[in-house]
Amino acid sequence: MKALRILILFIFFASILGLAGCSQQPDSISTLQPGSSSSISPEKKYQDLIVGYAQLGAESDWRVANTISIKETADKLGVELRFLDAQQKQENQIEAIRKLIVQKVDVIGLSPIVETGWDEVFQEAKDAGIPIILVDRRAVVADDLYVTYLGSDFLEEGRNSARVMAKLVNGKANIVELVGTIDSAPANDRYTGFREILKSYPGMKIIDSQSGDFTRARGKEVMAAFLLKYGKKITAVYAHNDDMALGAIQAIEEYGLKPGKDIKIVSVDATRGAFEAMIAGKLNATIECNPLLGPQFFELALKVVNGQSVPKWVPSIETIFFPEDASKILPTRKY
Ligand code: AHR
């Protein structure tokens, strides 16, 4: 009797263990890639992605290079890209985001023209379940309204511009500043970072500061007006981008002074035009701001769509260039 009870118990436990073994689905689970959002929907690949991009415009050589980088990378990876150009207007950019929401894209990339005024449309994207990746420029919104920011440390670019300028002028200068687009992240931060460092140089004075809207044409106009007002009193120019510096160089030459010599010039971006100006002795330094963000952007987009975690800020790696290295480096510059 006792032996029979032991036999029944043995059969009972063996059948439970056997069933448990059968209920495993070895292959379907183990073949899922790490980071899949669920075991039901398989991980997406680049070719499955539909990505919307609301570009702010084409105001500078930098922006043109940035757009090419986004488009070329999408082509290379086989991503379906819906690219919209807002032509320098925030209302167009907001409308572009709304179009992309209606089209139910997987993710939206955006370079916000200005920092503020995005809460409502970002909330609409969030409600539609579409993540937003900020590219190149930050927006002042709550952290939960965007997934990540990919781009430069504009404050540090402003600080580096001042450090370089201080060396060039031996701590003594009358500076005019060509500011970028008003209320944009790079203009705000380059303005603040520059002043932070200038506090340690009482001999360096900013005698005027006006927006040139990041364009060559406006940079030239504003510089011409500065020269009319202050003439030879100006000893240095701080331009928030290379395009405005190149415009200022033309204005200085037309006024009859030598850019880079009579007036020292430091700007930001490190475009090919800046390298050419340095080789010609007309620009004294350029602080790099990297526009080639396409590869990192799509890598982030894929991770986000597949539910993988990404850092809240992915900073670009950047350096400073001077005239002495310009001829050697120019042939390697991609923008
Ligand atoms: O946001 C990056 C800035 O925008 C670049 O420095 C400038 O050239 C561009 O227009």
Side-chain angles (χ1 to χ4, degrees), residues 196-318:
E196 240 178 58
I197 300 300
L198 243 55
K199 281 187 197 141
S200 318
Y201 295 94
M204 291 172 71
K205 308 250 182 292
I206 301 172
I207 59 170
D208 214 331
S209 170
Q210 298 286 328
S211 173
D213 209 13
F214 282 131
T215 70
R216 197 171 299 201
R218 283 292 298 146
K220 184 178 175 186
E221 268 172 42
V222 176
M223 188 66 211
F226 283 156
L227 285 162
L228 268 185
K229 193 165 170 192
Y230 303 104
K232 288 187 176 174
K233 190 176 172 201
I234 301 169
T235 57
V237 173
Y238 166 42
H240 287 197
N241 81 345
D242 290 341
D243 279 74
M244 291 189 296
L246 296 175
I249 286 171
Q250 285 175 13
I252 295 168
E253 285 177 328
E254 282 170 21
Y255 187 79
L257 292 174
K258 288 198 172 64
K261 293 183 183 70
D262 298 326
I263 298 181
K264 305 287 184 202
I265 309 174
V266 173
S267 59
V268 185
D269 276 355
T271 58
R272 291 180 65 84
F275 277 79
E276 282 155 8
M278 287 197 292
I279 292 167
K282 298 176 183 182
L283 178 71
N284 302 92
T286 181
I287 316 298
E288 188 179 32
C289 177
N290 184 10
L292 308 178
L293 302 174
Q296 280 170 291
F297 167 62
F298 288 106
E299 195 182 326
L300 283 169
L302 189 66
K303 282 188 175 162
V304 167
V305 167
N306 280 323
Q308 295 181 24
S309 66
V310 293
K312 206 66 194 175
W313 178 18
V314 181
S316 330
I317 297 162
E318 292 159 351

Side-chain angles (χ1 to χ4, degrees), residues 19-199:
L19 274 178
C22 287
S23 71
Q24 283 179 5
Q25 299 165 16
D27 286 342
S28 60
I29 289 179
S30 63
T31 51
L32 281 173
Q33 300 295 307
S36 289
S37 47
S38 88
S39 58
I40 303 159
S41 55
E43 185 170 88
K44 287 201 177 191
K45 302 195 173 48
Y46 283 120
Q47 300 91 303
D48 307 319
L49 288 190
I50 302 179
V51 175
Y53 200 94
Q55 181 60 288
L56 67 89
E59 75 285 4
S60 61
D61 287 354
W62 189 101
R63 184 70 47 202
V64 172
N66 179 245
T67 291
I68 291 173
S69 173
I70 302 287
K71 288 185 175 173
E72 280 186 355
T73 312
D75 267 4
K76 215 184 267 106
L77 297 172
V79 173
E80 182 177 337
L81 177 67
R82 313 259 169 97
F83 186 92
L84 301 169
D85 180 339
Q87 300 185 346
Q88 305 288 121
K89 292 205 172 81
Q90 184 176 30
E91 60 266 33
N92 292 350
Q93 233 178 349
I94 290 175
E95 204 187 306
I97 297 169
R98 292 203 166 116
K99 273 191 192 148
L100 295 168
I101 294 173
V102 171
Q103 292 176 21
K104 295 191 169 57
V105 297
D106 293 312
V107 52
I108 295 175
L110 168 79
S111 303
I113 181 158
V114 290
E115 285 196 294
T116 52
W118 301 103
D119 305 72
E120 199 181 322
V121 73
F122 279 26
Q123 186 64 51
E124 290 168 25
K126 189 178 178 201
D127 295 345
I130 302 176
I132 288 187
I133 297 180
L134 298 176
V135 185
D136 154 44
R137 295 187 183 180
R138 288 181 189 278
V140 179
V141 288
D143 268 9
D144 65 328
L145 292 184
Y146 69 98
V147 273
T148 182
Y149 162 61
L150 162 65
S152 308
D153 186 340
F154 297 133
L155 259 181
E156 194 56 18
E157 289 171 355
R159 293 186 194 114
N160 280 335
S161 301
R163 290 180 185 120
V164 166
M165 179 76 87
K167 280 201 182 135
L168 276 170
V169 299
N170 284 325
K172 200 172 173 315
N174 287 325
I175 306 163
V176 291
E177 180 182 32
L178 295 167
V179 176
T181 300
I182 297 292
D183 194 30
S184 68
N188 288 345
D189 289 357
R190 287 171 191 167
Y191 180 100
T192 306
F194 192 79
R195 281 161 179 76
E196 240 178 58
I197 300 300
L198 243 55
K199 281 187 197 141

